[in-house]
Each structure stands twice: as structure tokens, then as C-alpha cells.
Amino acid sequence: MNFSLSKSFEILERTPRVLETFLNGLSEEWIFNNEGGESWSPFDIIGHLIHGEKTDWIARTEIILSDKSDKTFLPFDRFAQFEASQGKTISQLLDEFQDLRNKNLASLKSKNISESDLKKTGIHPAFGTVTLENLLACWVAHDLGHIAQISRVMAKQYKEEVGPWQEYLPILDR
């Protein structure tokens, strides 16, 4: 599929509701367990999505669309959620994510982005030159990736319990 801003909104608008429906009201075992080691729980992932709403997508869009000569993005702290989410509940995080996403999508829509705007560039600290289209497509894929990650983390909670069906559940081996 070729990039489409309107099709991107279809996913970006739904992500908070999908996560709210999926996670709110679940027991702590579903919310706080991870895959072991330094992997992330669903709680951690929602905190990460919140941090992105605060510091990544719109901030970088504004850099790309600005008239500034320096279009370098600030580095993104992929682990900021561990401190920022302390003391909060999953319900609070889901509400915060919904609120921030609504504000960010309203901001994005207000920019009336044109086809030529999508070709404008910024400088990613690790990847170099990226277009606004790359950034917005990444936002969509990032949402979908973390929805899949949450599903995988939760499925693995029953990895041993599924017994012989594990052979038919590739999500348990990823």
C-alpha cells in the first residue's frame, strides 16, 4: 500500500480505543508481566507510547515543516516511561494516551499537509535524512508494532500452559 495521510489517520485515531478496550480492567498479571529479562510489559509499552506523543511525532513534524535551517531531531529516549509512569495506573496511562493522541491528531490535521509537505525532510540523529512521509508512516507502523508486541507479551504468559498446541502458535516463539 502506498502512503496515504487519510489511511494513516484510520489507524492513528483507533489505536487508543483498541488499547483501552484490550487492557483496561485486566488483572495486574496481564498488565505488568513481560517476556523476561529487560522486555517490556503492556504497562511499559503504554508509557512508551505516551512519551512518543509528548516528544516525537508532532515535535518532529514541526521541525520538518519549519523554516529553520537546522532540521535535526532531538534524540528520543526509548526508556523514559520507566520513570514517567511510576505511581500511575493503567487506566491513568490509557486516559493520558487518548488525550495526547487526540491533541496531536488535531494538531496534525490543522497543518493541512500537502503532497509537497510530505517530501520535506528532517535529520534523524541515527538515520540521517528522513521525509515527513517516512515519519508519519513510521508513526502508524509504530502503533501497530506495539499492539502486536502487547499481544505477544500477553500470549507468552500461557506459553507452557497451552501444552502441545504451542507448535501451532508461532506468536509464542517470537
Side-chain angles (χ1 to χ4, degrees), residues 49-85:
L49 290 169
I50 288 169
H51 185 66
E53 294 300 309
K54 290 179 177 178
T55 66
D56 192 337
W57 311 112
I58 295 301
R60 290 176 173 189
T61 295
E62 289 173 347
I63 289 169
I64 289 171
L65 294 175
S66 76
D67 292 331
K68 296 178 183 175
S69 58
D70 182 7
K71 304 263 184 164
T72 305
F73 303 158
L74 294 174
F76 180 75
D77 182 353
R78 294 180 49 242
F79 306 102
Q81 71 272 15
F82 293 112
E83 185 176 327
S85 297

PDB file of all heavy atoms in Angstrom, residues 49-85:
ATOM      1  N   LEU A  49       4.425   4.743  24.520  1.00  0.00           N
ATOM      2  CA  LEU A  49       3.579   5.431  23.536  1.00  0.00           C
ATOM      3  C   LEU A  49       3.268   6.858  23.982  1.00  0.00           C
ATOM      4  O   LEU A  49       3.261   7.785  23.155  1.00  0.00           O
ATOM      5  CB  LEU A  49       2.287   4.643  23.308  1.00  0.00           C
ATOM      6  CG  LEU A  49       2.439   3.308  22.573  1.00  0.00           C
ATOM      7  CD1 LEU A  49       1.149   2.498  22.636  1.00  0.00           C
ATOM      8  CD2 LEU A  49       2.873   3.522  21.131  1.00  0.00           C
ATOM      9  N   ILE A  50       3.036   7.050  25.261  1.00  0.00           N
ATOM     10  CA  ILE A  50       2.785   8.393  25.804  1.00  0.00           C
ATOM     11  C   ILE A  50       3.993   9.282  25.588  1.00  0.00           C
ATOM     12  O   ILE A  50       3.866  10.430  25.150  1.00  0.00           O
ATOM     13  CB  ILE A  50       2.415   8.308  27.297  1.00  0.00           C
ATOM     14  CG1 ILE A  50       1.013   7.729  27.463  1.00  0.00           C
ATOM     15  CG2 ILE A  50       2.534   9.675  27.980  1.00  0.00           C
ATOM     16  CD1 ILE A  50       0.659   7.351  28.893  1.00  0.00           C
ATOM     17  N   HIS A  51       5.171   8.765  25.881  1.00  0.00           N
ATOM     18  CA  HIS A  51       6.387   9.564  25.701  1.00  0.00           C
ATOM     19  C   HIS A  51       6.545   9.982  24.233  1.00  0.00           C
ATOM     20  O   HIS A  51       6.931  11.117  23.944  1.00  0.00           O
ATOM     21  CB  HIS A  51       7.619   8.802  26.193  1.00  0.00           C
ATOM     22  CG  HIS A  51       8.867   9.595  26.144  1.00  0.00           C
ATOM     23  ND1 HIS A  51       9.069  10.711  26.927  1.00  0.00           N
ATOM     24  CD2 HIS A  51       9.979   9.463  25.383  1.00  0.00           C
ATOM     25  CE1 HIS A  51      10.250  11.235  26.645  1.00  0.00           C
ATOM     26  NE2 HIS A  51      10.819  10.494  25.710  1.00  0.00           N
ATOM     27  N   GLY A  52       6.215   9.082  23.324  1.00  0.00           N
ATOM     28  CA  GLY A  52       6.260   9.427  21.900  1.00  0.00           C
ATOM     29  C   GLY A  52       5.292  10.539  21.548  1.00  0.00           C
ATOM     30  O   GLY A  52       5.611  11.431  20.756  1.00  0.00           O
ATOM     31  N   GLU A  53       4.111  10.487  22.140  1.00  0.00           N
ATOM     32  CA  GLU A  53       3.121  11.551  21.889  1.00  0.00           C
ATOM     33  C   GLU A  53       3.632  12.896  22.386  1.00  0.00           C
ATOM     34  O   GLU A  53       3.354  13.933  21.794  1.00  0.00           O
ATOM     35  CB  GLU A  53       1.789  11.219  22.561  1.00  0.00           C
ATOM     36  CG  GLU A  53       1.068  10.021  21.995  1.00  0.00           C
ATOM     37  CD  GLU A  53       0.709  10.142  20.529  1.00  0.00           C
ATOM     38  OE1 GLU A  53       0.101  11.158  20.140  1.00  0.00           O
ATOM     39  OE2 GLU A  53       1.027   9.204  19.766  1.00  0.00           O
ATOM     40  N   LYS A  54       4.374  12.886  23.470  1.00  0.00           N
ATOM     41  CA  LYS A  54       4.868  14.137  24.056  1.00  0.00           C
ATOM     42  C   LYS A  54       6.098  14.694  23.338  1.00  0.00           C
ATOM     43  O   LYS A  54       6.264  15.911  23.282  1.00  0.00           O
ATOM     44  CB  LYS A  54       5.227  13.914  25.528  1.00  0.00           C
ATOM     45  CG  LYS A  54       4.039  13.691  26.432  1.00  0.00           C
ATOM     46  CD  LYS A  54       4.501  13.465  27.865  1.00  0.00           C
ATOM     47  CE  LYS A  54       3.331  13.322  28.813  1.00  0.00           C
ATOM     48  NZ  LYS A  54       3.801  13.051  30.203  1.00  0.00           N
ATOM     49  N   THR A  55       6.958  13.816  22.822  1.00  0.00           N
ATOM     50  CA  THR A  55       8.269  14.296  22.379  1.00  0.00           C
ATOM     51  C   THR A  55       8.675  13.931  20.955  1.00  0.00           C
ATOM     52  O   THR A  55       9.707  14.408  20.493  1.00  0.00           O
ATOM     53  CB  THR A  55       9.375  13.760  23.319  1.00  0.00           C
ATOM     54  OG1 THR A  55       9.442  12.335  23.184  1.00  0.00           O
ATOM     55  CG2 THR A  55       9.115  14.133  24.762  1.00  0.00           C
ATOM     56  N   ASP A  56       7.892  13.106  20.279  1.00  0.00           N
ATOM     57  CA  ASP A  56       8.372  12.596  18.995  1.00  0.00           C
ATOM     58  C   ASP A  56       7.576  13.092  17.804  1.00  0.00           C
ATOM     59  O   ASP A  56       7.999  13.995  17.085  1.00  0.00           O
ATOM     60  CB  ASP A  56       8.378  11.063  19.029  1.00  0.00           C
ATOM     61  CG  ASP A  56       9.139  10.441  17.856  1.00  0.00           C
ATOM     62  OD1 ASP A  56       9.300  11.093  16.812  1.00  0.00           O
ATOM     63  OD2 ASP A  56       9.552   9.284  17.976  1.00  0.00           O
ATOM     64  N   TRP A  57       6.424  12.531  17.558  1.00  0.00           N
ATOM     65  CA  TRP A  57       5.742  12.649  16.277  1.00  0.00           C
ATOM     66  C   TRP A  57       5.436  14.088  15.871  1.00  0.00           C
ATOM     67  O   TRP A  57       5.810  14.512  14.767  1.00  0.00           O
ATOM     68  CB  TRP A  57       4.470  11.801  16.286  1.00  0.00           C
ATOM     69  CG  TRP A  57       4.752  10.421  16.787  1.00  0.00           C
ATOM     70  CD1 TRP A  57       4.320   9.864  17.964  1.00  0.00           C
ATOM     71  CD2 TRP A  57       5.566   9.420  16.164  1.00  0.00           C
ATOM     72  NE1 TRP A  57       4.807   8.584  18.101  1.00  0.00           N
ATOM     73  CE2 TRP A  57       5.579   8.286  17.002  1.00  0.00           C
ATOM     74  CE3 TRP A  57       6.282   9.378  14.977  1.00  0.00           C
ATOM     75  CZ2 TRP A  57       6.268   7.125  16.690  1.00  0.00           C
ATOM     76  CZ3 TRP A  57       6.968   8.214  14.667  1.00  0.00           C
ATOM     77  CH2 TRP A  57       6.963   7.112  15.508  1.00  0.00           C
ATOM     78  N   ILE A  58       4.771  14.822  16.725  1.00  0.00           N
ATOM     79  CA  ILE A  58       4.404  16.197  16.363  1.00  0.00           C
ATOM     80  C   ILE A  58       5.617  17.115  16.446  1.00  0.00           C
ATOM     81  O   ILE A  58       5.808  17.982  15.582  1.00  0.00           O
ATOM     82  CB  ILE A  58       3.233  16.706  17.223  1.00  0.00           C
ATOM     83  CG1 ILE A  58       1.967  15.883  16.927  1.00  0.00           C
ATOM     84  CG2 ILE A  58       2.980  18.189  16.997  1.00  0.00           C
ATOM     85  CD1 ILE A  58       1.490  15.912  15.479  1.00  0.00           C
ATOM     86  N   ALA A  59       6.448  16.917  17.454  1.00  0.00           N
ATOM     87  CA  ALA A  59       7.659  17.747  17.572  1.00  0.00           C
ATOM     88  C   ALA A  59       8.521  17.621  16.316  1.00  0.00           C
ATOM     89  O   ALA A  59       9.003  18.627  15.775  1.00  0.00           O
ATOM     90  CB  ALA A  59       8.452  17.341  18.810  1.00  0.00           C
ATOM     91  N   ARG A  60       8.675  16.415  15.827  1.00  0.00           N
ATOM     92  CA  ARG A  60       9.493  16.200  14.631  1.00  0.00           C
ATOM     93  C   ARG A  60       8.773  16.683  13.372  1.00  0.00           C
ATOM     94  O   ARG A  60       9.420  17.204  12.461  1.00  0.00           O
ATOM     95  CB  ARG A  60       9.887  14.725  14.522  1.00  0.00           C
ATOM     96  CG  ARG A  60      10.893  14.339  15.608  1.00  0.00           C
ATOM     97  CD  ARG A  60      11.244  12.886  15.612  1.00  0.00           C
ATOM     98  NE  ARG A  60      12.336  12.645  16.562  1.00  0.00           N
ATOM     99  CZ  ARG A  60      12.985  11.503  16.672  1.00  0.00           C
ATOM    100  NH1 ARG A  60      12.666  10.473  15.893  1.00  0.00           N
ATOM    101  NH2 ARG A  60      13.960  11.366  17.558  1.00  0.00           N
ATOM    102  N   THR A  61       7.470  16.534  13.337  1.00  0.00           N
ATOM    103  CA  THR A  61       6.700  17.083  12.206  1.00  0.00           C
ATOM    104  C   THR A  61       6.907  18.592  12.129  1.00  0.00           C
ATOM    105  O   THR A  61       7.122  19.145  11.047  1.00  0.00           O
ATOM    106  CB  THR A  61       5.201  16.743  12.366  1.00  0.00           C
ATOM    107  OG1 THR A  61       5.031  15.325  12.284  1.00  0.00           O
ATOM    108  CG2 THR A  61       4.355  17.432  11.309  1.00  0.00           C
ATOM    109  N   GLU A  62       6.849  19.254  13.270  1.00  0.00           N
ATOM    110  CA  GLU A  62       7.021  20.706  13.296  1.00  0.00           C
ATOM    111  C   GLU A  62       8.422  21.113  12.878  1.00  0.00           C
ATOM    112  O   GLU A  62       8.592  22.140  12.204  1.00  0.00           O
ATOM    113  CB  GLU A  62       6.648  21.239  14.671  1.00  0.00           C
ATOM    114  CG  GLU A  62       5.142  21.146  14.891  1.00  0.00           C
ATOM    115  CD  GLU A  62       4.684  21.501  16.296  1.00  0.00           C
ATOM    116  OE1 GLU A  62       5.526  21.603  17.215  1.00  0.00           O
ATOM    117  OE2 GLU A  62       3.451  21.647  16.465  1.00  0.00           O
ATOM    118  N   ILE A  63       9.418  20.337  13.234  1.00  0.00           N
ATOM    119  CA  ILE A  63      10.786  20.625  12.788  1.00  0.00           C
ATOM    120  C   ILE A  63      10.856  20.535  11.267  1.00  0.00           C
ATOM    121  O   ILE A  63      11.398  21.415  10.593  1.00  0.00           O
ATOM    122  CB  ILE A  63      11.801  19.672  13.454  1.00  0.00           C
ATOM    123  CG1 ILE A  63      11.947  20.015  14.935  1.00  0.00           C
ATOM    124  CG2 ILE A  63      13.157  19.726  12.745  1.00  0.00           C
ATOM    125  CD1 ILE A  63      12.719  18.994  15.747  1.00  0.00           C
ATOM    126  N   ILE A  64      10.301  19.463  10.713  1.00  0.00           N
ATOM    127  CA  ILE A  64      10.338  19.275   9.258  1.00  0.00           C
ATOM    128  C   ILE A  64       9.613  20.413   8.539  1.00  0.00           C
ATOM    129  O   ILE A  64      10.095  20.921   7.522  1.00  0.00           O
ATOM    130  CB  ILE A  64       9.723  17.911   8.876  1.00  0.00           C
ATOM    131  CG1 ILE A  64      10.651  16.778   9.315  1.00  0.00           C
ATOM    132  CG2 ILE A  64       9.438  17.832   7.374  1.00  0.00           C
ATOM    133  CD1 ILE A  64      10.056  15.381   9.187  1.00  0.00           C
ATOM    134  N   LEU A  65       8.472  20.830   9.060  1.00  0.00           N
ATOM    135  CA  LEU A  65       7.674  21.854   8.384  1.00  0.00           C
ATOM    136  C   LEU A  65       8.149  23.281   8.673  1.00  0.00           C
ATOM    137  O   LEU A  65       7.681  24.226   8.041  1.00  0.00           O
ATOM    138  CB  LEU A  65       6.202  21.721   8.786  1.00  0.00           C
ATOM    139  CG  LEU A  65       5.516  20.430   8.323  1.00  0.00           C
ATOM    140  CD1 LEU A  65       4.098  20.362   8.882  1.00  0.00           C
ATOM    141  CD2 LEU A  65       5.516  20.317   6.803  1.00  0.00           C
ATOM    142  N   SER A  66       9.084  23.435   9.591  1.00  0.00           N
ATOM    143  CA  SER A  66       9.546  24.771   9.981  1.00  0.00           C
ATOM    144  C   SER A  66      10.436  25.385   8.903  1.00  0.00           C
ATOM    145  O   SER A  66      10.887  24.704   7.974  1.00  0.00           O
ATOM    146  CB  SER A  66      10.324  24.696  11.295  1.00  0.00           C
ATOM    147  OG  SER A  66      11.620  24.161  11.076  1.00  0.00           O
ATOM    148  N   ASP A  67      10.709  26.674   9.085  1.00  0.00           N
ATOM    149  CA  ASP A  67      11.621  27.380   8.197  1.00  0.00           C
ATOM    150  C   ASP A  67      13.046  27.395   8.741  1.00  0.00           C
ATOM    151  O   ASP A  67      13.917  28.039   8.168  1.00  0.00           O
ATOM    152  CB  ASP A  67      11.142  28.827   8.002  1.00  0.00           C
ATOM    153  CG  ASP A  67       9.839  28.892   7.223  1.00  0.00           C
ATOM    154  OD1 ASP A  67       9.588  27.995   6.394  1.00  0.00           O
ATOM    155  OD2 ASP A  67       9.053  29.834   7.466  1.00  0.00           O
ATOM    156  N   LYS A  68      13.273  26.705   9.834  1.00  0.00           N
ATOM    157  CA  LYS A  68      14.606  26.674  10.443  1.00  0.00           C
ATOM    158  C   LYS A  68      15.606  26.025   9.498  1.00  0.00           C
ATOM    159  O   LYS A  68      15.264  25.103   8.751  1.00  0.00           O
ATOM    160  CB  LYS A  68      14.579  25.876  11.751  1.00  0.00           C
ATOM    161  CG  LYS A  68      13.721  26.489  12.839  1.00  0.00           C
ATOM    162  CD  LYS A  68      13.725  25.599  14.065  1.00  0.00           C
ATOM    163  CE  LYS A  68      12.819  26.161  15.125  1.00  0.00           C
ATOM    164  NZ  LYS A  68      12.717  25.268  16.287  1.00  0.00           N
ATOM    165  N   SER A  69      16.835  26.492   9.573  1.00  0.00           N
ATOM    166  CA  SER A  69      17.875  25.884   8.739  1.00  0.00           C
ATOM    167  C   SER A  69      18.338  24.549   9.324  1.00  0.00           C
ATOM    168  O   SER A  69      18.703  23.638   8.586  1.00  0.00           O
ATOM    169  CB  SER A  69      19.061  26.838   8.580  1.00  0.00           C
ATOM    170  OG  SER A  69      19.589  27.163   9.847  1.00  0.00           O
ATOM    171  N   ASP A  70      18.325  24.434  10.654  1.00  0.00           N
ATOM    172  CA  ASP A  70      18.720  23.182  11.306  1.00  0.00           C
ATOM    173  C   ASP A  70      17.469  22.332  11.552  1.00  0.00           C
ATOM    174  O   ASP A  70      16.619  22.690  12.365  1.00  0.00           O
ATOM    175  CB  ASP A  70      19.441  23.463  12.627  1.00  0.00           C
ATOM    176  CG  ASP A  70      19.918  22.201  13.309  1.00  0.00           C
ATOM    177  OD1 ASP A  70      19.811  21.103  12.718  1.00  0.00           O
ATOM    178  OD2 ASP A  70      20.398  22.298  14.452  1.00  0.00           O
ATOM    179  N   LYS A  71      17.367  21.248  10.859  1.00  0.00           N
ATOM    180  CA  LYS A  71      16.181  20.368  10.944  1.00  0.00           C
ATOM    181  C   LYS A  71      16.519  19.069  11.685  1.00  0.00           C
ATOM    182  O   LYS A  71      15.894  18.040  11.468  1.00  0.00           O
ATOM    183  CB  LYS A  71      15.681  20.031   9.539  1.00  0.00           C
ATOM    184  CG  LYS A  71      15.361  21.242   8.688  1.00  0.00           C
ATOM    185  CD  LYS A  71      13.916  21.543   8.720  1.00  0.00           C
ATOM    186  CE  LYS A  71      13.619  22.693   7.768  1.00  0.00           C
ATOM    187  NZ  LYS A  71      12.247  22.798   7.476  1.00  0.00           N
ATOM    188  N   THR A  72      17.501  19.135  12.572  1.00  0.00           N
ATOM    189  CA  THR A  72      17.920  17.947  13.316  1.00  0.00           C
ATOM    190  C   THR A  72      16.961  17.668  14.462  1.00  0.00           C
ATOM    191  O   THR A  72      16.639  18.555  15.250  1.00  0.00           O
ATOM    192  CB  THR A  72      19.350  18.140  13.866  1.00  0.00           C
ATOM    193  OG1 THR A  72      20.227  18.462  12.788  1.00  0.00           O
ATOM    194  CG2 THR A  72      19.837  16.890  14.575  1.00  0.00           C
ATOM    195  N   PHE A  73      16.516  16.423  14.553  1.00  0.00           N
ATOM    196  CA  PHE A  73      15.631  15.996  15.636  1.00  0.00           C
ATOM    197  C   PHE A  73      16.445  15.784  16.911  1.00  0.00           C
ATOM    198  O   PHE A  73      17.584  15.332  16.854  1.00  0.00           O
ATOM    199  CB  PHE A  73      14.959  14.661  15.322  1.00  0.00           C
ATOM    200  CG  PHE A  73      14.160  14.604  14.052  1.00  0.00           C
ATOM    201  CD1 PHE A  73      13.914  13.378  13.460  1.00  0.00           C
ATOM    202  CD2 PHE A  73      13.639  15.733  13.444  1.00  0.00           C
ATOM    203  CE1 PHE A  73      13.168  13.267  12.303  1.00  0.00           C
ATOM    204  CE2 PHE A  73      12.887  15.644  12.283  1.00  0.00           C
ATOM    205  CZ  PHE A  73      12.658  14.402  11.709  1.00  0.00           C
ATOM    206  N   LEU A  74      15.808  16.029  18.029  1.00  0.00           N
ATOM    207  CA  LEU A  74      16.397  15.638  19.309  1.00  0.00           C
ATOM    208  C   LEU A  74      16.329  14.121  19.413  1.00  0.00           C
ATOM    209  O   LEU A  74      15.381  13.503  18.940  1.00  0.00           O
ATOM    210  CB  LEU A  74      15.629  16.273  20.468  1.00  0.00           C
ATOM    211  CG  LEU A  74      15.705  17.798  20.590  1.00  0.00           C
ATOM    212  CD1 LEU A  74      14.769  18.286  21.697  1.00  0.00           C
ATOM    213  CD2 LEU A  74      17.139  18.231  20.852  1.00  0.00           C
ATOM    214  N   PRO A  75      17.315  13.507  20.046  1.00  0.00           N
ATOM    215  CA  PRO A  75      17.235  12.050  20.249  1.00  0.00           C
ATOM    216  C   PRO A  75      16.009  11.684  21.087  1.00  0.00           C
ATOM    217  O   PRO A  75      15.582  12.452  21.946  1.00  0.00           O
ATOM    218  CB  PRO A  75      18.527  11.721  21.008  1.00  0.00           C
ATOM    219  CG  PRO A  75      19.445  12.867  20.724  1.00  0.00           C
ATOM    220  CD  PRO A  75      18.563  14.072  20.552  1.00  0.00           C
ATOM    221  N   PHE A  76      15.450  10.521  20.823  1.00  0.00           N
ATOM    222  CA  PHE A  76      14.270  10.035  21.534  1.00  0.00           C
ATOM    223  C   PHE A  76      14.716   9.074  22.637  1.00  0.00           C
ATOM    224  O   PHE A  76      15.460   8.128  22.366  1.00  0.00           O
ATOM    225  CB  PHE A  76      13.332   9.323  20.553  1.00  0.00           C
ATOM    226  CG  PHE A  76      12.080   8.793  21.186  1.00  0.00           C
ATOM    227  CD1 PHE A  76      11.052   9.648  21.543  1.00  0.00           C
ATOM    228  CD2 PHE A  76      11.928   7.442  21.431  1.00  0.00           C
ATOM    229  CE1 PHE A  76       9.887   9.175  22.123  1.00  0.00           C
ATOM    230  CE2 PHE A  76      10.771   6.949  22.003  1.00  0.00           C
ATOM    231  CZ  PHE A  76       9.749   7.815  22.358  1.00  0.00           C
ATOM    232  N   ASP A  77      14.246   9.311  23.832  1.00  0.00           N
ATOM    233  CA  ASP A  77      14.566   8.448  24.968  1.00  0.00           C
ATOM    234  C   ASP A  77      13.584   7.287  24.988  1.00  0.00           C
ATOM    235  O   ASP A  77      12.448   7.427  25.432  1.00  0.00           O
ATOM    236  CB  ASP A  77      14.499   9.245  26.272  1.00  0.00           C
ATOM    237  CG  ASP A  77      14.868   8.430  27.493  1.00  0.00           C
ATOM    238  OD1 ASP A  77      15.064   7.197  27.369  1.00  0.00           O
ATOM    239  OD2 ASP A  77      14.952   9.014  28.584  1.00  0.00           O
ATOM    240  N   ARG A  78      13.999   6.131  24.500  1.00  0.00           N
ATOM    241  CA  ARG A  78      13.123   4.958  24.399  1.00  0.00           C
ATOM    242  C   ARG A  78      12.788   4.338  25.758  1.00  0.00           C
ATOM    243  O   ARG A  78      11.980   3.416  25.824  1.00  0.00           O
ATOM    244  CB  ARG A  78      13.768   3.906  23.502  1.00  0.00           C
ATOM    245  CG  ARG A  78      13.879   4.361  22.059  1.00  0.00           C
ATOM    246  CD  ARG A  78      14.516   3.322  21.143  1.00  0.00           C
ATOM    247  NE  ARG A  78      13.923   2.006  21.296  1.00  0.00           N
ATOM    248  CZ  ARG A  78      14.591   0.925  21.716  1.00  0.00           C
ATOM    249  NH1 ARG A  78      15.866   1.000  22.031  1.00  0.00           N
ATOM    250  NH2 ARG A  78      13.984  -0.242  21.800  1.00  0.00           N
ATOM    251  N   PHE A  79      13.397   4.850  26.820  1.00  0.00           N
ATOM    252  CA  PHE A  79      13.183   4.267  28.141  1.00  0.00           C
ATOM    253  C   PHE A  79      12.623   5.264  29.155  1.00  0.00           C
ATOM    254  O   PHE A  79      12.566   4.963  30.348  1.00  0.00           O
ATOM    255  CB  PHE A  79      14.494   3.665  28.649  1.00  0.00           C
ATOM    256  CG  PHE A  79      15.089   2.684  27.671  1.00  0.00           C
ATOM    257  CD1 PHE A  79      16.154   3.048  26.855  1.00  0.00           C
ATOM    258  CD2 PHE A  79      14.556   1.414  27.530  1.00  0.00           C
ATOM    259  CE1 PHE A  79      16.679   2.156  25.933  1.00  0.00           C
ATOM    260  CE2 PHE A  79      15.071   0.515  26.611  1.00  0.00           C
ATOM    261  CZ  PHE A  79      16.140   0.883  25.811  1.00  0.00           C
ATOM    262  N   ALA A  80      12.190   6.410  28.703  1.00  0.00           N
ATOM    263  CA  ALA A  80      11.689   7.467  29.598  1.00  0.00           C
ATOM    264  C   ALA A  80      10.473   7.026  30.396  1.00  0.00           C
ATOM    265  O   ALA A  80      10.217   7.529  31.493  1.00  0.00           O
ATOM    266  CB  ALA A  80      11.361   8.726  28.801  1.00  0.00           C
ATOM    267  N   GLN A  81       9.704   6.079  29.849  1.00  0.00           N
ATOM    268  CA  GLN A  81       8.473   5.645  30.506  1.00  0.00           C
ATOM    269  C   GLN A  81       8.721   5.014  31.867  1.00  0.00           C
ATOM    270  O   GLN A  81       7.843   5.036  32.735  1.00  0.00           O
ATOM    271  CB  GLN A  81       7.694   4.666  29.616  1.00  0.00           C
ATOM    272  CG  GLN A  81       8.305   3.287  29.459  1.00  0.00           C
ATOM    273  CD  GLN A  81       9.292   3.191  28.324  1.00  0.00           C
ATOM    274  OE1 GLN A  81       9.769   4.192  27.790  1.00  0.00           O
ATOM    275  NE2 GLN A  81       9.619   1.978  27.926  1.00  0.00           N
ATOM    276  N   PHE A  82       9.879   4.444  32.087  1.00  0.00           N
ATOM    277  CA  PHE A  82      10.110   3.748  33.347  1.00  0.00           C
ATOM    278  C   PHE A  82      10.057   4.707  34.532  1.00  0.00           C
ATOM    279  O   PHE A  82       9.572   4.340  35.601  1.00  0.00           O
ATOM    280  CB  PHE A  82      11.425   2.969  33.303  1.00  0.00           C
ATOM    281  CG  PHE A  82      11.376   1.838  32.316  1.00  0.00           C
ATOM    282  CD1 PHE A  82      12.144   1.864  31.169  1.00  0.00           C
ATOM    283  CD2 PHE A  82      10.522   0.762  32.507  1.00  0.00           C
ATOM    284  CE1 PHE A  82      12.081   0.827  30.248  1.00  0.00           C
ATOM    285  CE2 PHE A  82      10.447  -0.277  31.594  1.00  0.00           C
ATOM    286  CZ  PHE A  82      11.230  -0.243  30.463  1.00  0.00           C
ATOM    287  N   GLU A  83      10.507   5.920  34.335  1.00  0.00           N
ATOM    288  CA  GLU A  83      10.398   6.928  35.397  1.00  0.00           C
ATOM    289  C   GLU A  83       9.062   7.660  35.328  1.00  0.00           C
ATOM    290  O   GLU A  83       8.391   7.855  36.335  1.00  0.00           O
ATOM    291  CB  GLU A  83      11.547   7.937  35.297  1.00  0.00           C
ATOM    292  CG  GLU A  83      11.557   8.942  36.429  1.00  0.00           C
ATOM    293  CD  GLU A  83      12.752   9.874  36.359  1.00  0.00           C
ATOM    294  OE1 GLU A  83      13.829   9.456  35.906  1.00  0.00           O
ATOM    295  OE2 GLU A  83      12.594  11.041  36.759  1.00  0.00           O
ATOM    296  N   ALA A  84       8.651   8.040  34.138  1.00  0.00           N
ATOM    297  CA  ALA A  84       7.453   8.867  33.975  1.00  0.00           C
ATOM    298  C   ALA A  84       6.166   8.146  34.382  1.00  0.00           C
ATOM    299  O   ALA A  84       5.200   8.799  34.782  1.00  0.00           O
ATOM    300  CB  ALA A  84       7.347   9.339  32.525  1.00  0.00           C
ATOM    301  N   SER A  85       6.124   6.828  34.278  1.00  0.00           N
ATOM    302  CA  SER A  85       4.897   6.075  34.575  1.00  0.00           C
ATOM    303  C   SER A  85       4.789   5.633  36.034  1.00  0.00           C
ATOM    304  O   SER A  85       3.750   5.102  36.434  1.00  0.00           O
ATOM    305  CB  SER A  85       4.814   4.836  33.677  1.00  0.00           C
ATOM    306  OG  SER A  85       4.728   5.197  32.328  1.00  0.00           O
TER     307      SER A  85
END
